[in-house]
Structures are given as C-alpha cells and as structure tokens.
Amino acid sequence: MYGYPGAAFVDAAGEQLGRDPRRAPGDPATVTLAPGDSAWAGLRYASPGVSGADTAVPAALLVTPPDEREPLKVPWKAGAVPVSGNASSVFLTVLEPGTGP
C-alpha cells in the first residue's frame, strides 16, 4: 500500500458527518504487509471545546485502505468530532507499518 487511507465519520444511518479529512503533510512510502501484519495512520483535529467548531458524535469511522474501494467500518467511541465552523478540519497522516505511535 502507498499513501493515505480514506476516512469519513458517519452517523447511525451511514450518512457522512462533515467534510472528508484533509491530508497532513508527510512523506508517503510503500508499506508491504504479510498476513497478520498491521498498518496505521493518524487522525487529528482541534478539540471542539477549544476551537468552537460545530460537533457531532459519529456512530462509526469508515476507513478505506489505499488503492481500495470498500471501506472498513470501525465503531467510534471517542465522542464528538468537529464537523463545521471554526477549526473544523480533520487531518489524516500517511500510512505506516505497525500498530501506532
């Protein structure tokens, strides 16, 4: 895989909440995974309580691996996310091997 995953917050009906996340600056590299290996990408946004952005609580995060068309549906348990207004941008980092920072 190479680059950034796709991502979208959705409500219980599967409707997208807010805009597509932006790509954070980074240097994409090819990530090769053997069966059972993992890769990750970061997701960041300003705290809605501090930024004043309008919020919603997603039911799930849809994640689409690079070069794929079908998203994986991940239940969202982290509370409200910014969906519009000041500082409402959500950013994704490049895909990296492993399970996270």
Side-chain angles (χ1 to χ4, degrees), residues 14-99:
E15 296 295 319
Q16 185 168 338
L17 301 169
R19 294 179 266 164
D20 287 340
R22 295 179 176 184
R23 292 178 173 182
D27 295 320
T30 298
V31 175
T32 302
L33 301 175
D37 285 352
S38 297
W40 70 280
L43 180 69
R44 68 175 170 82
Y45 50 87
S47 168
V50 174
S51 70
D54 295 329
T55 64
V57 177
L61 176 65
L62 300 181
V63 179
T64 307
D67 300 321
E68 296 292 327
R69 296 192 186 276
E70 292 298 318
L72 306 168
K73 187 175 185 178
V74 181
W76 184 256
K77 306 289 185 195
V81 299
V83 293
S84 67
N86 293 339
S88 63
S89 294
V90 176
F91 293 89
L92 285 168
T93 64
V94 296
L95 193 70
E96 297 186 42
T99 58

